């Protein structure tokens, strides 16, 4: 795909040569090398030739013949920027980690880019394309003819380096490929074509999307289901998701608008569908593992809404379809209904009601193939009925603007889940799923109040409070009671200085966990969770051309839960994660020479731990505790050498440090990036 | 309280609310909205070409065929051009006679766009009116700069910074050791969210459910499987943080604590402590997102294969 895009780029360059775009930057002749002020640049961008502009015919008589200034801040101009260069990478790392370069393909390569904006009205063409190497690229293409033909195409490629996770506690066979490196190439191509009838609001559209994952990942699984034997091997993957949506929509008699579209989505596993043991212990039978089935989805969606400019307006969506697992025959049928009504009572009062229902029905065969237990031959077993769900969600909101700069909002939300066949999954004979027992029905009630104030221009303050109650939470990790308070603001005390602040506190508990078991003693369990975040940022436009800024972010997650560790033994297990992150950034555009510099530095400290109050091996610490420092530095310089010809130099370093000196320290890594680019800008 | 009673209560409350607000709103003039939809009263239209004498490169207006006229948004302009005067060394019209959009309530500001984009079948605004942004006082103008650039859409490259202006806590999440590739510029907020609103009463997701949104890219975990992880799989956020996490694989908590919260009594013998607390659960339960293969036993499935 990248090769094709490059070809398209070159063709476009041939079709639209640089001299088709007159240079109006002013950086020519005697002015070469002189940087313009922002005001001068805006003048230049206006295509103002310097001569007086006469009032066009049809204007009011009083103003005819007067001269006007050029446009000042409206930009619609043709331009092309082309860049070509090289990118260099380097990595120092522990044996099995590229964590510092998680989303980077670590190979030196040719790099380039093209930005093309061409407007032979009524045609409009926009292309932004950048490529760092054969796997990292990004392209956005838009072609429009009036509003009758609209083509949008996006292509993205990236490489994801995967960790090689170690077994912390296992017996043979263990990791069979200890030196293996894992990574996946991801390619996302998305094209939408919309055609509109001339002068009429009727559209036909089609969307095509193809999403590919191709590479090698680590697979770990239980080697024989007994003891502590686990095995780790590589798995080649080649997964493709193709999605086609075709639809029509239009305005019906000026009263409402109707849309229908059908989507077919297919997930195709083009590599191995199953994994198998590499080593089969004597006396045991080879078993399949980790199935990745092909799935095909069909969906129909009908949407209708009234004119949304009306005081009373509404929107409704009905969707239905199915998903079929082509390997096992499992099928999920779904239908979904959503609707909202909004009512503008006056200029200052606005009410909205939303409701949605989702039905999901999963069906399976009556029996399932049972793989062999030890030396016993495979057979079949009766399969439990699949769990199906019905979910209702509603929301009532009331907005009140006592003044144009003050918004008061009150909301109530309902979230209800009903499950069918849930009892079959709450099999108390299976001691390991008792606490996961799902409730037959569960209803969340949430209330929210918020106030937003704009005391002055470019300044906004907001405070909100949210409370939720659920008498019978679905799962242990849901809350019976929870509260969240948040304050947020952005303040511009003086031109050139912007302050941002944000703080949120969350508290939730589930104090009445029960153990619906006939085999265990009744135990009183409890769960409390705290989630807090805070942020503070400052941006300062210090002097012309210079921007400085910093922001700090804090996050904390803390949970305390009693966990069953023996038939009559429960332990309170505290767990917490915290992180502190800060960024410093700056940019300077020199006033007398065509040089701009930019740099940013980010560091995040993340710590976390949990303690089980039971005797545990030393190795526990390496799994339960963590202390990570993530550091990034980026520096970039742009210099215009001569008449739109310029060069861009960039350097970046990324460092991942696992500060805990156990096995996981092998994840430590440092990545360096550098690039040199020659650019040419045509205007 | 049963589901039916709850819905009845909500319905009754909605009717009462409707009546009360209807009464409260009888004095409401809707003048702001009228101004946004119908334009400024008491002035005459002067046409685009008059405006283009100075403002010739507006993206919206410059399209041949006048898809959008300046006065469609700013109101009729004859009062403005009748009062041309010099201001700060330049000729300027009397812009104070235009509709002062920035002084209007946010929903009224959005109406300048909605009045057209709700009439020409642009279904990306299908749920705008009842969407979280509109309800929380965010207008079209807060994200779209009508007069700037070659495209009115915010660029993917700058989108995260724009969203952080309000969603500052999300920036903190993306700074964590594992995160979706938003800071790297490979993933944009709109890959998962629809800022124009969602049919679903939940967060403004791109697709109708959390799972449908996630499996756009993680389709290998979509299923349906013979053995589903209860209906937890319908909401991936039960175990994963979508933006960023302190833990590998965007897990909400580290294993085994994550799993022990629900499956605390795994293996009841004390000598198995190391298995319970010293192991990543998915080392053995490797098909935790769902499986088509039965393990040993009687067809219950434990995601071991």
């Amino acid at each position: 795909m990248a090769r094709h895009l490059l070809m398209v780029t070159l063709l476009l360059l041939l079709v639209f040569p640089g001299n088709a775009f007159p240079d109006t930057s002013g950086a020519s002749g005697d002015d070469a090398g002189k940087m313009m002020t922002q005001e001068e640049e805006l003048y230049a961008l206006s295509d103002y030739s310097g001569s007086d502009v006469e009032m066009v015919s049809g204007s009011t008589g009083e103003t005819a013949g007067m001269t006007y200034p050029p446009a000042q801040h409206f930009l619609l101009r043709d331009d092309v920027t082309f860049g070509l260069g090289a990118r260099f990478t380097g990595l120092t790392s522990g044996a099995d980690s590229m964590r510092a370069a998680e989303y980077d393909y670590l190979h030196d390569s040719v790099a380039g880019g093209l930005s093309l904006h061409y407007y032979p009205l009524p045609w409009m063409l926009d292309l932004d394309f950048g490529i760092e190497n054969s796997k990292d690229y990004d392209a956005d293409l838009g072609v429009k003819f009036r509003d009758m033909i609209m083509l949008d195409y996006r292509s993205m490629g990236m490489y994801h380096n995967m960790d090689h996770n170690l077994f912390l506690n296992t017996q043979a066979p263990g990791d069979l490929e200890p030196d293996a490196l894992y990574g996946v190439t991801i390619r996302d191509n998305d094209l939408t074509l919309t055609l509109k009838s001339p002068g009429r609001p009727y559209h036909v559209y089609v969307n095509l999307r193809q999403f590919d994952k191709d590479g090698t990942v680590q697979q770990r699984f239980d080697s024989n289901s007994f003891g502590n034997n686990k095995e780790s091997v590589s798995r080649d993957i080649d997964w493709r998701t193709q999605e086609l949506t075709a639809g029509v929509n239009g305005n019906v008699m000026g009263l409402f608008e109707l849309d229908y579209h059908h989507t077919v989505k297919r997930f195709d596993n083009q590599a191995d569908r199953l994994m198998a043991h590499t080593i089969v212990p004597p006396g045991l039978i080879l078993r399949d593992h980790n199935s990745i089935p092909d799935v095909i989805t069909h969906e129909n969606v009908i949407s209708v809404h009234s004119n949304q400019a009306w005081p009373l307006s509404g929107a409704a969506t009905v969707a239905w379809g199915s998903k079929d697992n082509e390997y096992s025959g499992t099928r999920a049928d779904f239908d979904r209904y959503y609707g909202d009504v909004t009512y503008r009572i006056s200029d200052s009062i606005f009410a909205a009601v939303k409701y949605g229902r989702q039905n999901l029905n999963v069906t399976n065969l009556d029996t399932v193939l049972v793989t062999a237990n030890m030396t016993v031959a495979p057979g079949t077993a009766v399969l439990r009925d699949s769990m199906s769900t019905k979910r209702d969600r509603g929301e009532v909101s009331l907005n009140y603007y006592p003044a144009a700069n003050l918004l008061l909002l009150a909301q109530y939300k309902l979230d209800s889940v009903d499950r069918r066949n849930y009892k079959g999954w709450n099999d108390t004979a299976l001691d390991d799923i008792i606490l996961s027992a799902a409730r037959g029905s569960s209803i969340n009630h949430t209330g929210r109040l918020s106030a937003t104030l704009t005391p002055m221009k470019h300044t906004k303050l907001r405070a909100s409070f949210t409370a939720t109650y659920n008498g019978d939470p679905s799962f242990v990790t849901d809350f019976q009671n929870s509260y969240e308070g948040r304050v947020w603001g952005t303040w511009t005390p003086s031109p050139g200085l912007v302050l941002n602040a944000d703080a949120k506190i969350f508290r939730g508990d589930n104090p009445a966990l029960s153990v619906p078991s006939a085999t265990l003693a009744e135990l009183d369990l409890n769960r409390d969770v705290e989630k807090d975040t805070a942020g503070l940022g400052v941006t300062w436009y210090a002097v012309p051309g210079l921007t400085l800024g910093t922001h700090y972010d804090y996050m904390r997650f803390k949970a305390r839960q009693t966990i069953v560790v023996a038939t009559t033994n429960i332990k309170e297990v505290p767990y917490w994660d915290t992180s502190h992150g800060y960024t410093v950034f700056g940019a300077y555009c020199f006033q007398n020479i065509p040089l701009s510099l930019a740099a940013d530095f980010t560091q995040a400290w993340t710590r976390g731990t949990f303690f089980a109050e039971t005797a545990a091996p030393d190795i526990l610490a390496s799994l339960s505790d963590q202390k990570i420092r993530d550091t990034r530095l980026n520096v970039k310089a742009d210099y215009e050498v001569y008449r739109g010809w310029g060069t861009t130099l960039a350097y970046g370093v990324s460092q991942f440090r696992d500060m805990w000196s156990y096995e996981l320290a092998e994840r430590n890594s440092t990545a360096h990036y550098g690039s040199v680019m020659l650019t040419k800008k045509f205007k | 309280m049963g589901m039916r009673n709850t819905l009845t209560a909500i319905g009754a409350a909605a009717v009462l609310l409707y009546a009360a607000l209807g009464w409260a709103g009888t004095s409401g003039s809707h003048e702001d909205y009228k101004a946004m939809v119908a334009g400024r009263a008491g002035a005459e239209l002067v046409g685009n070409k008059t405006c283009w004498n100075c403002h010739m490169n507006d993206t919206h207006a410059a399209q041949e065929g006048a898809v959008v006229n300046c006065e469609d948004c700013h109101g009729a302009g004859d009062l403005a051009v009748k009062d041309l005067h010099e201001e700060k060394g330049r000729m300027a019209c009397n812009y104070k006679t235009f509709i002062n959009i920035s002084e209007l309530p946010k929903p009224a500001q959005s109406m300048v766009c909605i009045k057209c984009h709700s009439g020409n079948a642009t279904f990306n605004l299908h749920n705008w009116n009842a969407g979280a942004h509109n309800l929380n006082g965010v207008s079209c103008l807060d994200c779209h700069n009508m007069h700037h650039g070659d495209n009115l859409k915010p660029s993917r490259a700058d989108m995260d910074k724009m969203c952080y202006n309000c969603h500052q806590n999300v920036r903190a999440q993306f700074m964590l050791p594992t995160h979706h590739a938003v800071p790297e510029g490979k993933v944009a907020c709109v890959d998962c969210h629809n800022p124009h609103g969602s049919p679903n009463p939940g967060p403004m997701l791109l697709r109708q459910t959390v799972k449908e949104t996630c499996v756009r890219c993680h389709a290998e975990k979509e299923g349906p499987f013979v053995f589903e992880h209860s209906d937890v799989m319908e909401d991936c956020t039960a175990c994963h943080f979508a933006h960023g996490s302190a833990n590998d694989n965007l897990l909400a908590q580290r294993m085994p604590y994550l799993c022990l919260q629900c499956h605390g009594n795994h293996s009841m013998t004390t000598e198995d402590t190391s298995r319970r607390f010293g192991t990543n659960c998915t080392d053995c339960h490797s098909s935790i997102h769902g499986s088509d293969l039965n393990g040993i036993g009687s067809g219950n499935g434990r995601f071991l294969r």
Side-chain angles (χ1 to χ4, degrees):
Chain A
M1 179 53 64
R3 189 182 304 160
H4 295 162
L5 285 171
L6 197 57
M7 290 298 293
V8 170
T9 302
L10 294 173
L11 284 172
L12 287 170
L13 275 179
L14 290 173
V15 175
F16 307 117
N19 57 15
F21 307 94
D23 187 352
T24 56
S25 68
S28 60
D30 294 340
D31 295 330
K34 178 186 173 187
M35 288 295 289
M36 293 183 293
T37 64
Q38 186 180 19
E39 192 175 9
E40 289 169 338
E41 187 179 11
L42 290 170
Y43 263 70
L45 295 177
S46 70
D47 291 333
Y48 179 53
S49 65
S51 61
D52 293 343
V53 180
E54 294 294 322
M55 181 63 108
V56 296
S57 60
S59 58
T60 52
E62 296 92 326
T63 56
M66 294 184 68
T67 59
Y68 293 85
Q72 295 168 38
H73 58 280
F74 301 145
L75 308 178
L76 182 64
R77 56 177 178 139
D78 302 328
D79 67 61
V80 180
T81 303
F82 181 78
L84 188 64
R87 187 168 185 268
F88 307 95
T89 63
L91 179 82
T92 55
S93 153
D96 53 5
S97 178
M98 295 189 179
R99 195 59 180 270
E102 184 177 3
Y103 296 111
D104 212 304
Y105 188 57
L106 290 168
H107 289 76
D108 299 342
S109 62
V110 173
L114 173 69
S115 173
L116 188 155
H117 305 278
Y118 181 50
Y119 307 114
L121 294 172
W123 287 91
M124 299 176 78
L125 172 66
D126 295 285
L127 172 67
D128 289 289
F129 171 58
I131 181 167
E132 292 183 343
N133 54 55
S134 61
K135 297 190 187 298
D136 287 315
Y137 56 86
D138 216 313
D140 257 313
L141 172 68
V143 180
K144 298 186 187 79
F145 175 74
R146 298 183 187 272
D147 60 347
M148 294 190 295
I149 301 174
M150 287 174 281
L151 175 77
D152 283 303
Y153 172 65
R154 178 168 183 269
S155 182
M156 184 277 287
M158 64 182 284
Y159 191 76
H160 190 181
N161 289 297
M162 306 283 197
D163 279 346
H164 186 136
N165 290 301
L166 304 175
F167 281 128
L168 299 172
N169 180 29
T170 189
Q171 299 164 10
D175 195 337
L176 298 173
E177 300 166 359
D179 298 324
L181 296 175
Y182 303 112
V184 175
T185 301
I186 297 168
R187 292 179 295 274
D188 187 2
N189 291 283
D190 196 328
L191 183 145
T192 303
L193 175 65
T194 306
L195 304 176
K196 177 178 176 291
S197 59
R200 301 283 179 185
Y202 304 120
H203 298 91
V204 178
Y205 59 91
V206 62
N207 173 258
L208 290 161
R209 181 168 185 253
Q210 180 166 300
F211 189 88
D212 292 290
K213 285 183 180 177
D214 186 2
T216 307
V217 298
Q218 183 181 20
Q219 294 273 280
R220 291 171 295 168
F221 42 76
D222 196 358
S223 189
N224 62 4
S225 297
F226 290 98
N228 199 18
N229 307 73
K230 285 170 282 189
E231 151 178 357
S232 171
V233 292
S234 298
R235 179 177 198 162
D236 291 329
I237 65 165
D238 187 359
W239 297 333
R240 170 165 290 180
T241 305
Q242 291 175 307
E243 196 169 352
L244 167 65
T245 299
V248 294
N249 66 41
N251 193 310
V252 182
M253 300 168 64
L255 297 176
F256 58 93
E257 299 189 308
L258 190 63
D259 177 278
Y260 168 76
H261 66 260
H262 181 83
T263 299
V264 182
K265 176 181 168 186
R266 180 176 180 81
F267 171 74
D268 190 10
N269 181 354
Q270 302 182 94
D272 293 337
R273 206 157 272 114
L274 299 165
M275 296 290 289
H277 290 152
T278 307
I279 296 174
V280 182
L284 297 185
I285 292 174
L286 187 82
R287 296 197 187 111
D288 293 329
H289 264 278
N290 298 35
S291 66
I292 305 286
D294 293 350
V295 176
I296 187 162
T297 303
H298 289 272
E299 184 183 29
N300 296 282
V301 181
I302 295 176
S303 303
V304 60
H305 62 244
S306 70
N307 188 320
Q308 290 158 309
W310 291 350
L312 180 64
S313 69
T317 302
V318 178
W320 70 96
S322 63
K323 295 179 189 292
D324 286 285
N325 179 326
E326 297 192 329
Y327 174 73
S328 64
T330 305
R331 178 184 172 95
D333 292 285
F334 60 88
D335 48 274
R336 303 171 184 139
Y337 310 90
Y338 306 105
D340 64 58
V341 175
T342 56
Y343 179 41
R344 194 174 63 237
I345 296 104
S346 71
D347 278 356
S348 56
I349 304 177
F350 183 82
V353 178
K354 298 177 76 172
Y355 172 73
R357 165 169 285 192
Q358 300 165 196
N359 290 323
L360 177 68
N361 297 298
V362 182
T363 51
N364 262 318
L365 302 175
D366 293 334
T367 58
V368 63
L369 184 67
V370 178
T371 52
N373 182 0
M374 301 296 282
T375 57
V376 179
T380 58
V382 175
L383 189 64
R384 288 180 289 190
D385 289 335
S386 297
M387 191 185 294
S388 296
T389 55
K390 179 180 73 179
R391 188 171 187 184
D392 294 280
R393 286 200 273 186
E395 183 180 302
V396 180
S397 305
L398 179 65
N399 285 49
Y400 176 47
Y401 284 89
N405 64 345
L406 176 61
L407 164 63
L408 304 176
L409 171 65
Q411 284 183 306
Y412 166 76
K413 297 179 182 179
L414 169 92
D415 189 347
S416 164
V417 180
D418 279 304
R419 299 178 177 85
R420 282 190 287 113
N421 305 328
Y422 71 98
K423 287 182 179 175
W425 291 80
N426 293 348
D427 186 350
T428 53
L430 293 172
D431 56 12
D432 60 342
I433 64 167
I434 292 169
L435 281 177
S436 66
R439 305 323 192 245
S441 65
S442 179
I443 303 176
N444 258 309
H445 304 272
T446 301
R448 178 172 180 258
L449 296 170
S450 98
T452 307
L453 176 67
T454 308
M456 63 188 89
K457 201 170 184 181
H458 303 306
T459 299
K460 185 181 279 189
L461 305 170
R462 173 174 291 166
S464 65
F465 177 76
T466 305
T468 298
Y469 172 74
N470 188 333
D472 197 7
S474 287
F475 300 105
V476 172
T477 49
D478 291 339
F479 300 108
Q480 190 174 81
N481 302 287
S482 68
Y483 309 92
E484 179 183 293
R486 185 184 177 195
V487 291
W488 168 90
T490 177
W491 181 35
T492 308
S494 67
L497 184 62
V498 181
L499 305 175
N500 295 296
D502 183 20
K504 186 167 79 172
I505 295 175
F506 174 93
R507 298 287 180 271
D509 64 41
N510 196 350
L513 302 180
S514 61
V515 182
S517 168
T519 60
L520 293 180
E522 194 67 29
L523 301 173
D524 294 324
L525 306 179
N526 181 50
R527 175 178 165 81
D528 294 299
V529 168
E530 301 171 6
K531 287 190 280 188
D532 305 324
T533 63
L536 185 64
V538 181
T539 305
W540 183 34
Y541 304 98
V543 295
L546 177 63
T547 303
L548 299 171
T550 182
H551 58 79
Y552 164 76
D553 293 289
Y554 168 74
M555 251 184 57
R556 171 175 171 270
F557 177 94
K558 184 176 181 181
R560 283 186 302 271
Q561 184 181 329
T562 44
I563 287 177
V564 178
V565 294
T567 308
T568 56
N569 184 15
I570 58 175
K571 294 288 183 185
E572 183 176 89
V573 181
Y575 174 101
W576 58 266
D577 289 321
T578 59
S579 87
H580 303 265
Y582 60 90
T583 296
V584 180
F585 60 92
Y588 185 60
C589 180
F590 286 83
Q591 300 298 294
N592 299 320
I593 52 175
L595 173 65
S596 62
L597 303 172
D600 62 81
F601 175 83
T602 299
Q603 191 165 72
W605 287 79
T606 305
R607 296 190 63 181
T609 191
F610 71 88
F611 298 104
E613 296 174 7
T614 57
D618 291 342
I619 207 164
L620 170 63
S622 64
L623 187 69
S624 65
D625 299 348
Q626 70 172 10
K627 187 177 178 183
I628 293 171
R629 190 187 68 200
D630 241 340
T631 308
R632 293 166 194 270
L633 169 69
N634 294 298
V635 181
K636 185 179 178 185
D638 286 296
Y639 181 62
E640 183 181 350
V641 181
Y642 177 70
R643 288 194 173 192
W645 287 96
T647 184
T648 300
L649 303 175
Y651 171 74
V653 59
S654 172
Q655 188 184 63
F656 181 93
R657 282 286 179 273
D658 192 323
M659 310 295 282
W660 221 255
S661 57
Y662 289 89
E663 286 84 346
L664 297 181
E666 291 197 26
R667 299 195 300 178
N668 289 350
S669 52
T670 303
H672 301 267
Y673 317 92
S675 68
V676 182
M677 195 85 74
L678 184 64
T679 61
K680 169 62 178 168
K681 188 168 189 174
F682 305 93
K683 292 181 183 174
Chain B
M1 189 162 58
M3 183 65 204
R4 180 175 296 179
N5 290 340
T6 303
L7 290 175
T8 304
I10 292 171
V15 170
L16 288 172
L17 185 65
Y18 184 89
L21 294 178
W23 173 80
T26 49
S27 61
S29 63
H30 295 253
E31 288 302 323
D32 290 340
Y33 291 87
K34 286 178 184 171
M36 299 307 294
V37 175
R40 191 187 189 290
E44 299 294 328
L45 299 174
V46 296
N48 276 355
K49 289 182 178 177
T50 303
C51 308
W52 292 350
N53 280 291
C54 297
H55 309 291
M56 60 186 72
N57 284 333
D58 181 3
T59 302
H60 250 138
Q63 296 198 39
E64 292 292 333
V67 173
V68 177
N69 295 306
C70 310
E71 292 163 298
D72 289 343
C73 305
H74 295 281
D78 75 329
L79 299 178
V81 296
K82 281 176 182 172
D83 188 19
L84 281 175
H85 60 280
E86 190 172 312
E87 187 173 302
K88 296 180 181 176
R90 291 180 178 179
M91 196 64 72
C93 61
N94 185 1
Y95 51 82
K96 291 179 181 175
T97 63
F98 290 116
I99 298 169
N100 192 346
I101 296 173
S102 64
E103 292 296 320
L104 297 176
K106 294 286 188 177
Q109 291 180 21
S110 297
M111 206 53 62
V112 74
C113 310
I114 293 292
K115 67 182 181 184
C116 293
H117 287 275
S118 176
N120 65 352
T122 43
F123 263 80
N124 57 338
L125 293 171
H126 178 58
N127 296 104
W128 170 260
N129 272 7
H133 272 158
N134 190 42
L135 293 176
N136 284 279
V138 178
S139 82
C140 310
L141 309 178
D142 289 323
C143 303
H144 297 281
N145 190 334
M146 299 300 156
H147 298 138
H148 190 272
D150 46 37
N151 201 327
L152 300 181
K153 288 189 293 186
S155 74
R156 292 175 62 87
D158 298 329
M159 190 173 295
D160 56 337
K161 298 170 193 67
M162 183 185 77
C163 298
Y164 295 157
N165 283 332
C166 296
H167 301 279
Q168 294 179 40
N169 55 326
V170 176
R171 180 179 58 200
Q173 293 163 13
F174 278 117
M175 292 174 73
L176 293 171
T178 53
H179 52 257
H180 272 119
V182 171
E184 288 78 7
K186 296 295 185 182
V187 179
C189 307
V190 293
D191 288 332
C192 302
H193 295 283
N194 184 346
H196 296 133
S198 166
N200 198 320
M204 295 194 295
L205 295 174
L206 190 66
R207 297 292 170 93
Q208 293 169 9
T209 67
V210 173
K211 183 177 180 179
E212 293 294 336
T213 303
C214 299
V215 300
R216 284 186 75 232
C217 299
H218 302 281
E220 73 277 6
K221 299 176 178 68
E222 181 172 10
F225 298 103
V226 173
F227 302 104
E228 293 271 346
H229 197 155
S230 182
D231 59 329
V232 171
M233 276 293 289
E234 286 302 307
D235 185 354
C236 309
T237 58
C239 299
H240 298 277
F241 287 149
H243 298 136
S245 168
N247 311 302
D248 291 348
N249 300 318
L250 289 169
L251 290 175
Q253 292 90 37
R254 282 181 299 290
M255 288 189 288
Y257 183 85
L258 173 75
C259 310
L260 291 172
Q261 293 170 105
C262 291
H263 306 278
N265 52 335
H266 180 288
S267 295
M268 304 304 291
T269 53
T270 53
E271 61 267 26
D272 281 333
T273 297
S274 62
R275 289 176 61 186
R276 191 162 54 236
F277 292 117
T279 299
N280 280 317
C281 308
T282 52
D283 284 355
C284 294
H285 301 274
S286 50
S287 294
I288 199 65
H289 294 108
S291 172
D292 290 330
L293 302 173
N294 192 40
I296 58 172
S298 57
N300 290 317
R302 296 184 183 184
F303 312 110
L304 287 165
R305 36 187 109 260

